């Protein structure tokens, strides 16, 4: 049989890459914990209706990109294309928002699935870290999340990102804007492409997102969203801008930023980069005040964002930021009659008492062959245990990364000897 390959657009993350992923996850987890965000773990599969009612029926995601199937019980289910819908469902279902005044900060991480055309930075299985705050209506928490994302870039050493923000206003001002757009684009209906003609009556805001260069001029001359905002929406946005300025977070106001999901109100934002080709959004989100009630919960304001982990990892690689390495400290080479149990015990003892990373050689072979593996493992020292060493209660310690002589070290003083070499101290 010819070897099977992975599904197109679904990537393996190989051992050489996973330390970087783990490091990214732990940096984000630390920043979130410091701000009171708690982790929530959610199913990968939800009812299809959940995504239709939240992301919106007339969005690219729901119309064309979902992995939807009927399960054996006859239910229509979908692999989650994003995390917000499932998170809101879980918050409502588990009654976390049932009490008046409830406020929660949560985050999640994991794979999302969209049947998009794969290209650099765009995959069919990709990973997000998502952050959501419930029960807080003001721009203070919008600012908290944007400042948190800015802090993340700073912590990671990523500088090739820029922040764009916009306000979609209240549902009422969004509706007023929608009507103005319909009037405007209807005048040019014949000039629109097929997608935009269809959207004209279903979701005209999405025409502004069109990547068709033939429409660029028409879109540039369309009525601007800020003119349709009511007083409260303007005040919310102005306060957010003031808070970002006070926090020293640079942004541009992009009045055409509308986002591809229908649930947003007021603030929307996107961190974009010009380092990843067409896939320029690295981290995006916004406020979604109406969604909890729309999905059957109590009226609850909410705001959140998600970052695309593949894109952040690509930016780290692009900036040549060193990836942490998970190399062992010692590789235990051993051979000899009756030494299997002592070797096992020695490796365990070093791991337990000194917290060292110790690979114990498995699979037999000559000392020479074992030492070759020790070298390939990246370990700093080979510990050599043969019959003679065992008889005298010692090991040979062979430095593998430096041109230093081999030493004989008694087993009783080995932990102290290794500690003196300053290994294992960097974690
Ligand atoms: P989104 O803009 O659809 O928003 O996705 C968030 C991020 O996920 C994007 O900025 C991008 O970095 C990454 N991403 C999206 N699609 C792909 C793909 N096909 N391949 C690789 N990366 C991708 C949401 O998903 C919202 N749930 C964000 C949110 C949370 N809004 C409020 N709370």
């Amino acid at each position: 049989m010819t070897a099977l390959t992975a599904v197109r657009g679904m990537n393996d993350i190989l051992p050489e890459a996973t330390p970087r992923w783990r490091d990214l996850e732990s940096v984000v987890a630390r920043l979130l914990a410091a701000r009171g965000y708690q982790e929530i773990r959610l199913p990968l599969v939800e009812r299809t209706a959940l995504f239709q009612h939240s992301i919106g029926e007339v969005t690219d995601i729901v119309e064309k990109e979902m992995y939807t199937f009927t399960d054996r019980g006859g239910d229509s289910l979908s692999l989650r294309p994003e995390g917000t819908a499932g998170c809101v469902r879980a918050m409502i279902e588990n009654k976390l928002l049932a009490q008046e005044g409830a406020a929660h900060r949560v985050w999640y991480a994991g794979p999302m699935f969209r049947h998009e055309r794969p290209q650099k930075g765009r995959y069919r299985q990709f990973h997000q870290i998502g952050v959501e705050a419930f029960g807080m209506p003001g721009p203070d928490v919008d600012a908290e999340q944007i400042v948190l994302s800015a802090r993340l870039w700073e912590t990671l050493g990523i500088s090739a990102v820029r922040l764009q923000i916009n306000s979609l206003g209240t549902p009422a001002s969004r509706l007023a804007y929608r009507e103005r757009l319909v009037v405007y684009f209807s005048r040019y209906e014949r000039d629109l492409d097929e997608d935009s003609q269809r959207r004209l009556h279903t979701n005209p805001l999405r025409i502004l997102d069109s990547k068709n260069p033939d429409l660029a001029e028409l879109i540039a001359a369309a009525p601007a969203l800020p003119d349709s905002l009511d007083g409260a929406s303007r005040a919310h946005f102005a306060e957010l801008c003031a808070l970002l300025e006070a926090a020293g977070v640079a942004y541009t106001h992009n009045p055409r930023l509308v986002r591809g999901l229908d649930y947003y109100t007021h603030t929307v934002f996107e961190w974009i980069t010009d380092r990843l080709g067409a896939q320029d959004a690295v981290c995006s989100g916004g406020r979604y005040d109406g969604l909890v009630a729309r999905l059957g919960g109590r009226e609850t304001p909410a705001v959140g964002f998600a970052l695309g982990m593949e894109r952040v990892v690509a930016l780290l690689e692009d900036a040549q930021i060193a990836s942490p390495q998970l190399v062992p400290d010692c590789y235990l080479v051993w051979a000899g009659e009756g030494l299997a149990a002592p070797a096992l015990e020695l490796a365990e003892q070093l791991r337990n008492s000194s917290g060292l990373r110790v690979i114990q050689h498995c699979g037999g072979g000559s000392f020479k062959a074992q030492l070759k593996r020790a070298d390939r493992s990246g370990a700093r020292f080979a510990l050599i245990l043969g019959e003679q060493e065992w008889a005298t209660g010692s090991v040979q310690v062979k430095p593998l990364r430096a041109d230093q002589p081999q030493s004989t070290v008694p087993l009783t003083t080995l932990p102290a000897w290794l500690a003196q070499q300053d290994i294992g101290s960097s974690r």
Side-chain angles (χ1 to χ4, degrees):
M1 182 173 142
T2 46
L4 295 172
T5 57
V7 176
R8 192 162 121 80
M10 304 204 179
N11 300 317
D12 303 308
I13 302 167
L14 298 176
E16 63 182 35
T18 48
R20 197 190 280 287
W21 282 71
R22 267 190 180 265
D23 194 50
L24 171 59
E25 284 157 1
S26 73
V27 168
V28 181
R30 213 169 48 236
L31 291 177
L32 286 163
R35 288 155 181 81
Y37 286 81
Q38 294 179 300
E39 188 181 2
I40 183 166
R41 298 198 179 198
L42 302 161
L44 301 192
V45 178
E46 298 274 359
R47 290 175 201 286
T48 304
L50 174 69
F51 301 117
Q52 290 166 334
H53 291 148
S54 52
I55 298 168
E57 300 259 19
V58 197
T59 53
D60 281 353
I61 296 178
V62 169
E63 276 184 329
K64 318 184 203 166
E65 296 170 0
M66 286 216 293
Y67 282 90
T68 296
F69 60 96
T70 306
D71 79 353
R72 289 175 195 280
D75 292 322
S76 176
L77 305 179
S78 296
L79 299 188
R80 62 181 186 187
E82 58 106 51
T84 308
C87 184
V88 171
R89 195 256 325 124
M91 297 297 288
I92 299 170
E93 188 172 343
N94 294 290
K95 304 201 170 29
L96 296 174
L97 305 174
Q99 279 192 348
E100 181 147 12
H104 290 279
R105 289 174 168 84
V106 295
W107 67 275
Y108 47 83
M112 309 289 160
F113 304 85
R114 297 184 193 174
H115 195 276
E116 296 190 79
R117 199 165 45 78
Q119 53 174 253
K120 183 175 151 64
R122 186 166 73 195
Y123 308 105
R124 289 181 173 171
Q125 175 176 323
F126 60 98
H127 298 77
Q128 284 184 347
I129 296 180
V131 176
E132 318 283 359
F134 296 94
M136 292 160 268
D140 46 4
V141 61
D142 306 9
E144 171 184 287
Q145 293 192 350
I146 294 175
V147 171
L148 157 67
S149 52
R151 181 94 191 105
L152 174 65
W153 312 133
E154 193 181 297
T155 311
L156 293 172
I158 290 176
S159 56
V161 285
R162 293 177 281 123
L163 174 64
Q164 295 198 334
I165 60 174
N166 193 23
S167 172
L168 302 177
T170 57
S173 47
R174 195 175 153 144
L175 206 65
Y177 181 55
R178 186 193 141 104
E179 276 159 22
R180 289 182 65 202
L181 279 184
V182 172
V183 171
Y184 171 79
F185 282 119
S186 296
R187 275 193 268 144
Y188 303 99
E189 189 160 355
R190 268 177 302 153
D191 302 329
L192 296 176
D193 58 21
E194 205 183 307
D195 247 5
S196 299
Q197 281 178 354
R198 199 166 40 82
R199 287 189 171 138
L200 181 55
H201 300 289
T202 50
N203 197 353
L205 263 74
R206 299 287 297 142
I207 302 178
L208 301 177
D209 258 0
S210 168
K211 302 269 188 288
N212 183 348
D214 297 341
L215 299 183
E217 219 172 291
L218 200 60
I219 290 171
L225 201 153
D227 303 338
S228 301
L229 294 186
D230 57 25
S233 304
R234 280 169 203 261
H236 186 113
F237 190 60
E239 176 68 13
L240 171 65
C241 294
L243 288 171
L244 293 181
E245 276 152 37
V249 176
Y251 63 86
T252 46
H253 177 196
N254 173 2
R256 309 241 170 258
L257 180 66
V258 292
R259 308 266 304 118
L261 305 96
D262 274 358
Y263 47 62
Y264 292 111
T265 54
H266 291 290
T267 309
V268 286
F269 68 95
E270 223 158 60
W271 286 93
I272 56 173
T273 180
D274 50 17
R275 308 295 300 173
L276 301 178
Q279 304 313 310
D280 61 356
V282 180
C283 170
S284 10
R287 184 161 274 285
Y288 49 97
D289 288 346
L291 185 59
V292 176
R294 189 157 9 120
L295 294 179
R298 169 194 279 275
E299 198 73 54
T300 308
V303 58
F305 69 88
L307 60 88
M309 293 190 69
E310 281 79 1
R311 295 185 190 176
V312 177
V313 166
L315 283 181
L316 290 168
E317 283 166 1
D318 179 72
Q320 300 189 344
I321 292 168
S323 167
Q325 284 306 317
L326 241 176
V327 289
D329 299 306
C330 303
Y331 191 105
L332 176 59
V333 163
W334 65 277
E337 208 33 53
L339 289 193
L344 191 69
E345 193 189 328
L346 173 60
E348 271 301 280
Q349 206 182 25
L350 289 174
R351 294 174 193 129
N352 293 344
S353 65
S354 316
L356 296 178
R357 293 188 192 121
V358 182
I359 296 186
Q360 184 199 351
H361 182 83
C362 292
S366 68
F367 279 117
K368 193 168 161 220
Q370 292 192 31
L371 278 167
K372 228 185 222 170
R373 281 234 197 132
D375 194 40
R376 262 190 260 138
S377 75
R380 218 171 123 199
F381 294 101
L383 307 178
I384 305 165
L385 181 69
E387 281 168 15
Q388 201 181 335
E389 285 79 18
W390 181 240
T392 57
S394 63
V395 287
Q396 301 284 328
V397 182
K398 181 177 164 61
L400 296 170
R401 310 287 143 214
D403 196 13
Q404 287 163 355
Q406 188 164 316
S407 340
T408 304
V409 181
L411 284 169
T412 46
T413 57
L414 183 62
W417 190 93
L418 288 168
Q420 267 181 5
Q421 310 305 307
D422 200 27
I423 63 174
S425 59
S426 59
R427 56 191 89 104

